[in-house]
Amino acid sequence: MSTESASLKNHNTFALPVNAAHLVIAEQIEMMIKAWQKAQKRKEPMLVLGEGSNVLFLEDFAGTVMINNLKGIEIREQDDAWHLHVSAGENWHHLVSHTLECGIPGLENLALIPGLVGSAPIQNIGAYGIELKQVCEYVDLLDLTTGEIDRIDHQDCEFGYRESIFKHELKDGFVIVGVGLRLNKQWSPQLNYGDLTKLDPQTVTPLQVFESVCAMRRSKLPDPSITGNAGSFFKNPLVSGETANELLTQYPSMPHYPQQDGQVKLAAGWLIDQCSLKGYQIGGAAVHRQQALVLVNADNASSQDVVALARHVRNTVASKFGVWLEPEVRFIGAIGELNAVEVLS
């Protein structure tokens, strides 16, 4: 399906009133290639979206927005693991629920993360001690120019903290069309965060982990169908061990998570909360009252309201803690993605 001059209000979870020059809902790979060729002919940019759960449109988009709507989940069982091939247009949480219904554990910590399967490798999504890179086997990538699909092995995806090659070299002119996952039959629960620490590792079931994760996320995060938001707005910052120790002498109760490379991950939500910013509002945009890491469209916010609020939050945290937060949300301008840190600086 293709539409001229279409509203994107229902295609970004911030529910911002922005438009695209063209909107294409692509249910087949052929539609994707055709949309790309048309955009190239018009000399206009193209943006591929899933559910728009991790984007902030700064203005109307001057080209084609293509919604990835490819469907299908295939499961292959081997002695030691299940191998899944999942089309990029499947809803991520639906996949997590479906695997558990099939008796396949391994994704339960990633329950209720908004968005589509195709977006998961771009961000290397993660929550409650698990990241996609731990279960990802490969990513199938469509080259829109040649029409060929390349299988990118997980080692070549350059996964990092909310990072991958799909944000950089393989961003323009490529679309993720499928993701391969390997879920080990030797299941061991990951219970290091939040209410999961209260569960007994000896007796806990994957479904109990799933239900606990869902309860935690629902208690803290606003439902985007009711209150526009893009989930966690900022990444949890990584600082040197030295910086972390200096902060801990001042703030002994500060949550901190030492990493294997000697860096320490801090909790962005805690830093924002310590600045007394919950409920702080600029225009129609506000810091969520339950979870400081989430910025919400509280009252018909404009894109400029959200940017002004994000800038205020970032500057306030930096002046109190000397730590500069980086947005996790992708900032989209009229012709494509912009450097979010530069926009806020």
Side-chain angles (χ1 to χ4, degrees):
M1 187 188 89
S2 179
T3 315
E4 306 293 297
S5 187
S7 168
L8 297 175
K9 192 164 186 178
N10 294 331
H11 297 289
N12 75 98
T13 58
F14 258 120
L16 294 169
V18 288
N19 298 312
H22 310 280
L23 177 68
V24 175
I25 312 285
E27 283 157 8
Q28 289 102 22
I29 284 167
E30 296 72 34
M31 288 175 77
M32 294 181 165
I33 296 165
K34 199 175 279 183
W36 171 255
Q37 288 168 343
K38 273 190 181 174
Q40 293 295 96
K41 210 175 206 174
R42 294 186 189 117
K43 294 187 165 52
E44 287 179 355
M46 187 163 105
L47 176 72
V48 180
L49 271 193
E51 291 180 349
S53 59
N54 198 50
V55 293
L56 173 65
F57 282 100
L58 305 185
E59 55 197 318
D60 288 348
F61 191 72
T64 299
V65 168
M66 182 171 73
I67 309 294
N68 188 334
N69 208 24
L70 304 173
K71 300 292 187 199
I73 301 173
E74 296 164 28
I75 300 172
R76 191 166 49 83
E77 187 174 356
Q78 289 190 321
D79 290 344
D80 59 343
W82 292 276
H83 297 268
L84 281 66
H85 179 86
V86 190
S87 294
E90 290 284 350
N91 174 275
W92 177 264
H93 180 68
H94 166 73
L95 171 68
V96 177
S97 303
H98 179 70
T99 54
L100 287 172
E101 283 163 17
C102 294
I104 301 171
L107 298 179
E108 55 285 332
N109 292 54
L110 303 176
L112 273 187
I113 292 181
L116 299 183
V117 168
S119 310
I122 299 172
Q123 284 290 101
N124 180 28
I125 59 169
Y128 300 108
I130 296 270
E131 285 186 321
L132 181 82
K133 69 176 182 183
Q134 291 161 256
V135 294
C136 181
E137 214 166 14
Y138 60 80
V139 173
D140 280 357
L141 193 69
L142 170 66
D143 183 327
L144 288 162
T145 308
T146 64
E148 289 178 9
I149 296 173
D150 282 325
R151 181 155 288 185
I152 315 291
D153 192 71
H154 71 103
Q155 287 119 321
D156 300 322
C157 292
E158 295 180 15
F159 287 131
Y161 175 53
R162 302 295 175 268
E163 271 293 340
S164 72
I165 195 170
F166 309 109
K167 276 188 167 184
H168 304 286
E169 297 96 298
L170 299 180
K171 184 172 72 166
D172 298 322
F174 299 94
V175 182
I176 292 173
V177 293
V179 177
L181 304 175
R182 182 186 185 280
L183 300 176
N184 204 321
K185 287 192 174 177
Q186 290 291 351
W187 180 71
S188 59
Q190 298 293 319
L191 306 174
N192 300 331
Y193 288 81
D195 290 349
L196 297 179
T197 56
K198 298 172 188 170
L199 300 173
D200 181 350
Q202 301 305 315
T203 59
V204 71
T205 67
L207 190 60
Q208 286 169 332
V209 175
F210 171 84
E211 286 169 348
S212 181
V213 168
C214 288
M216 282 189 286
R217 289 189 78 92
R218 286 196 175 107
S219 70
K220 289 194 297 190
L221 300 171
D223 181 345
S225 65
I226 299 165
T227 307
N229 73 90
S232 301
F233 196 91
F234 294 101
K235 298 176 188 176
N236 288 323
L238 289 163
V239 299
S240 68
E242 192 183 358
T243 300
N245 287 334
E246 284 171 18
L247 286 168
L248 282 163
T249 56
Q250 285 178 273
Y251 308 98
S253 64
M254 179 183 75
H256 59 289
Y257 307 96
Q259 306 295 294
Q260 285 166 336
D261 58 4
Q263 290 187 296
V264 178
K265 187 187 284 185
L266 307 181
W270 185 89
L271 298 173
I272 298 166
D273 196 10
Q274 294 302 302
C275 297
S276 304
L277 286 170
K278 275 182 181 169
Y280 187 89
Q281 190 157 340
I282 293 181
V287 179
H288 192 242
R289 291 183 184 280
Q290 270 79 46
Q291 170 52 278
L293 196 50
V294 178
L295 306 187
V296 297
N297 180 351
D299 184 19
N300 296 316
S302 68
S303 306
Q304 289 69 36
D305 293 342
V306 181
V307 169
L309 180 63
R311 185 179 290 126
H312 177 75
V313 169
R314 187 170 184 264
N315 291 344
T316 306
V317 168
S319 62
K320 185 175 175 75
F321 294 102
V323 174
W324 288 97
L325 299 180
E326 292 188 14
E328 184 175 317
V329 172
R330 297 165 62 202
F331 283 32
I332 311 292
I335 59 169
E337 188 165 354
L338 301 171
N339 183 310
V341 169
E342 286 176 13
V343 172
L344 296 184
S345 295

